[in-house]
Amino acid sequence: MNVVTVPVTGFAQNCRIVVCTNTNKAALIDPGGDVDKLSAELSTLGCELESIFLTHGHLDHVGAAKQLADKFGVKIIGPHLDDKFWFDSLPMQAQMFGFAPITPFYPDAWLAHGDTIHVGEACLSVRHCPGHTPGHVVFYHDASEQVFVGDVIFQGSVGRTDFPKGDSAQLIASIKSEILSLADDVKILPGHGPNTTVGHERKTNPFISGRYG
């Protein structure tokens, strides 16, 4: 499985293009904006987009999903149904964060803990990780030991919980049960900032150790 990172929007959100090297089928994880930029990268890679996966409903992670889904004729999958209110409020989010106006849209399918999603022959497991948002999910690819975590955890930090229905205690519990339960060598691919590993965050992340928060 090949992963290409394309930062999008003024929030430098890490959209990931995940390509199954056996089939050349691809998925976009969290296309937050910049439709033309992402389309050009897909063309350069020469892969076939078959799905769009969303970790949660914040605009900087979903802003280009509907346009790209319509352009390429693919479905939008995820996050968990508990994030529906964030999709309801997309126009308000656009106004709040200075994005272009956007019409509410909804995924073609919601995800639940324990589901699996596929990119060509690659299989990723879905883990529900509420706290940053109530419906946040992460995607774990066991074969390559990589987990796509959206805004749950970052290098040396964790997701904000001061948005509606955020919960700091729930976020830390999610991280401990669904991220720190993975092996130390598993690579963490967050929605913003550099990649890290489970082991590095287990040892050094001050929010997990309780030094902050």
Side-chain angles (χ1 to χ4, degrees):
M1 191 176 78
N2 184 33
V3 180
V4 177
T5 302
V6 184
V8 295
T9 82
F11 290 88
Q13 191 272 317
N14 292 325
C15 176
R16 313 286 183 170
I17 303 175
V18 179
V19 184
C20 170
T21 51
N22 291 337
T23 63
N24 208 38
K25 299 291 182 65
L28 288 170
I29 297 179
D30 288 357
D34 299 336
V35 170
D36 292 343
K37 184 178 182 180
L38 291 173
S39 299
E41 188 63 33
L42 288 167
S43 178
T44 298
L45 293 170
C47 54
E48 180 186 350
L49 185 66
E50 65 173 5
S51 300
I52 294 172
F53 301 134
L54 303 178
T55 62
H56 64 293
H58 285 165
L59 184 57
D60 61 320
H61 289 253
V62 310
K66 178 61 173 172
Q67 286 178 270
L68 287 162
D70 290 344
K71 180 175 181 176
F72 289 95
V74 300
K75 290 186 176 181
I76 301 170
I77 310 298
H80 187 283
L81 180 61
D82 285 352
D83 260 19
K84 181 180 179 293
F85 77 101
W86 279 116
F87 290 84
D88 294 334
S89 69
L90 282 172
M92 179 196 71
Q93 290 193 62
Q95 186 176 32
M96 186 188 322
F97 295 114
F99 280 66
I102 186 171
T103 302
F105 69 89
Y106 301 93
D108 295 286
W110 301 99
L111 291 169
H113 185 81
D115 284 349
T116 56
I117 55 177
H118 294 84
V119 184
E121 296 175 359
C123 179
L124 294 84
S125 60
V126 177
R127 296 179 172 219
H128 185 206
C129 291
H132 177 64
T133 70
H136 202 302
V137 293
V138 305
F139 308 123
Y140 175 55
H141 185 238
D142 181 67
S144 64
E145 295 191 303
Q146 298 182 89
V147 61
F148 302 87
V149 299
D151 287 356
V152 168
I153 185 171
F154 308 104
Q155 185 183 77
S157 188
V158 298
R160 291 174 59 174
T161 55
D162 55 342
F163 292 120
K165 300 186 181 181
D167 186 316
S168 58
Q170 187 179 51
L171 177 64
I172 298 303
S174 293
I175 291 169
K176 290 182 175 179
S177 65
E178 304 304 333
I179 307 299
L180 298 189
S181 60
L182 300 170
D184 281 351
D185 289 342
V186 171
K187 182 187 289 186
I188 292 173
L189 289 80
H192 304 267
N195 296 339
T196 183
T197 66
V198 171
H200 182 76
E201 297 313 305
R202 192 194 312 278
K203 294 174 183 176
T204 67
N205 192 309
F207 292 88
I208 295 169
S209 68
R211 279 180 277 164
Y212 298 155

